[in-house]
Amino acid sequence: MNGGTIKGRELSTVKEAKRLPALDAVRGLAVIGMYIQHFALNQWNSFVSGNTMILFMLCSGISYAIMTRRMLAGGGGMKFLNTRILARSVFIDFAGYLLILLNGPFAVVLTAYAMLYLLALPFIRLSTSKLFALSGILYFLSPPLMLIGMSLFEGAAILSDIAGGPLSALAWSPVFITGMAIGRLDLHKTSNAIKFIAAGIIILIPVKLMETFVMPGIFQSYMEWASLNPKIMNAEIDVFAMWPLNTQPVMWQMLFISSPQCGSTCELLAGTGGSLILFGFLCLSGKKCGALLKPFCNAGKLSLTLYVIQIVVGWGLQIVAPDQALKFIGAIPCGDIIITVLVIYLSYIFIKFKAGPIEAMIRKFESLFIVSDGM
């Protein structure tokens, strides 16, 4: 009886462990987009700014759902799952703070990413429909809450990582939980891929129309109203006062703009819509174009390693040539293509070792806290 149960679990684990090339490829494209945003941004590729992070968070949510489902299917139970998630979050959080210490030119989001892993744990047991409903609510609830957090939690590292502005866990939570809900679906079905594309179009077109024709007017009206209220626009803050009397006014105007990484509802929805369209198309083409997707799949499998490398490289370039080196590649014709080729080549080198250094260290760190059944 036990042998049959174990065998069943093993078969289930093997089935769950089967990687989806489209997911790896989309994650790889997100990482490449980050490199382009940081090292080769120009007027032709400016759409990657901000959207690559939304794409990465959507993929992370999908991977999180697949990973947690695989762990539970393997018979580890919630204690095993909680241990691994906690260990992974601690490692990523610590790595993020080490990168923040470099004080490089790029914002480090690993600490918020680590907080997302922990904050999503209570939602693992929710049904797929409830996850979709929760994500829909968060698209409208998270932006004002993260702005309040940005005011109240300034200077408080962990609290800021949780809910302190557009780069906090709370700000990214709608996209991440949407990814968790998508990760519950059969991603190998053609019908679901078509649904992703259709949903992306349904989300993207109205939001873009609202960004263009509605939101500028609302923003202008708010700013005109705020200019008549000195307590809002010209509030004098005593930085030596007791909390919360020393906090900055809440920047409500950010709710009405859609610039990169502002955390507004429009920005998140537009980025999610575009991400769903891309993910759906790659799911459709994954079986027929596997060879073409492979270079991007390699980058996706090494996403954390590649992310850390870009932060370190940006820091190094700023030391060598402040304010010049980061603009150099972007000014070169086809600089974004050069960056893409370099990232793909770098991932090809690392893939020879089966895993990137950061991914390998995470697995090693997790193993320190997992006790085998025989002990």
Side-chain angles (χ1 to χ4, degrees), residues 31 34-35 39 91-92 95-96 98-99 102 106 108 110 302-315 346 357-359 361-362:
V31 174
M34 293 180 197
Y35 272 80
F39 298 108
F91 183 94
I92 294 174
L98 286 179
L99 294 176
L102 296 178
F106 312 137
V108 178
L110 285 185
L302 305 167
S303 56
L304 287 178
T305 293
L306 293 174
Y307 179 85
V308 171
I309 288 174
Q310 72 174 323
I311 301 297
V312 175
V313 169
W315 165 74
L346 187 62
I358 302 300
E359 287 79 8
M361 285 189 283
I362 288 176

Side-chain angles (χ1 to χ4, degrees), residues 20-52:
L20 181 70
L23 180 58
D24 285 329
V26 173
R27 190 189 296 111
L29 286 171
V31 174
I32 291 171
M34 293 180 197
Y35 272 80
I36 292 174
Q37 176 182 340
H38 291 151
F39 298 108
L41 195 66
N42 57 46
Q43 60 179 343
W44 304 108
N45 57 39
S46 59
F47 66 90
V48 304
S49 186
N51 288 321
T52 54

Side-chain angles (χ1 to χ4, degrees), residues 250-295:
V250 179
M251 300 177 65
W252 296 117
Q253 64 269 24
M254 291 180 64
L255 295 175
F256 312 121
I257 59 178
S258 189
S259 60
Q261 297 180 343
C262 71
S264 69
T265 296
C266 280
E267 185 221 353
L268 294 176
L269 284 174
T272 302
S275 299
L276 287 174
I277 294 172
L278 177 61
F279 182 60
F281 272 118
L282 289 187
C283 284
L284 285 176
S285 62
K287 296 179 181 179
K288 298 180 180 179
C289 307
L292 293 176
L293 294 183
K294 187 175 180 180

Side-chain angles (χ1 to χ4, degrees), residues 137-150 165-166 170-171 174 207 210-211 214-220 222-223 225 250-259 261-269:
I137 293 171
L138 287 174
Y139 275 104
F140 296 92
L141 189 61
S142 291
L145 290 180
M146 68 86 181
L147 289 178
I148 294 173
M150 185 167 64
L170 180 62
V207 170
M210 182 170 287
E211 283 182 7
V214 179
M215 298 310 293
I218 296 177
F219 175 79
Q220 184 64 31
Y222 174 83
M223 295 304 292
W225 172 82
V250 179
M251 300 177 65
W252 296 117
Q253 64 269 24
M254 291 180 64
L255 295 175
F256 312 121
I257 59 178
S258 189
S259 60
Q261 297 180 343
C262 71
S264 69
T265 296
C266 280
E267 185 221 353
L268 294 176
L269 284 174

Side-chain angles (χ1 to χ4, degrees), residues 317-335:
L317 289 176
Q318 283 291 89
I319 291 178
V320 174
D323 301 324
Q324 297 297 326
L326 296 181
K327 300 178 182 178
F328 174 70
I329 299 178
I332 299 176
C334 300

Side-chain angles (χ1 to χ4, degrees), residues 67-128:
M67 177 185 69
T68 53
R69 186 175 60 191
R70 184 173 67 238
M71 290 181 190
L72 293 175
M78 284 302 297
K79 183 177 181 180
F80 171 77
L81 174 61
N82 292 339
T83 300
R84 285 197 64 177
I85 295 297
L86 178 59
R88 179 166 297 203
S89 299
V90 168
F91 183 94
I92 294 174
D93 199 44
F94 184 70
Y97 282 118
L98 286 179
L99 294 176
I100 289 173
L101 284 175
L102 296 178
N103 199 27
F106 312 137
V108 178
V109 298
L110 285 185
T111 51
Y113 184 58
M115 293 298 106
L116 261 177
Y117 261 61
L118 290 179
L119 295 175
L121 271 175
F123 307 128
I124 289 174
R125 294 294 192 182
L126 291 182
S127 66
T128 304

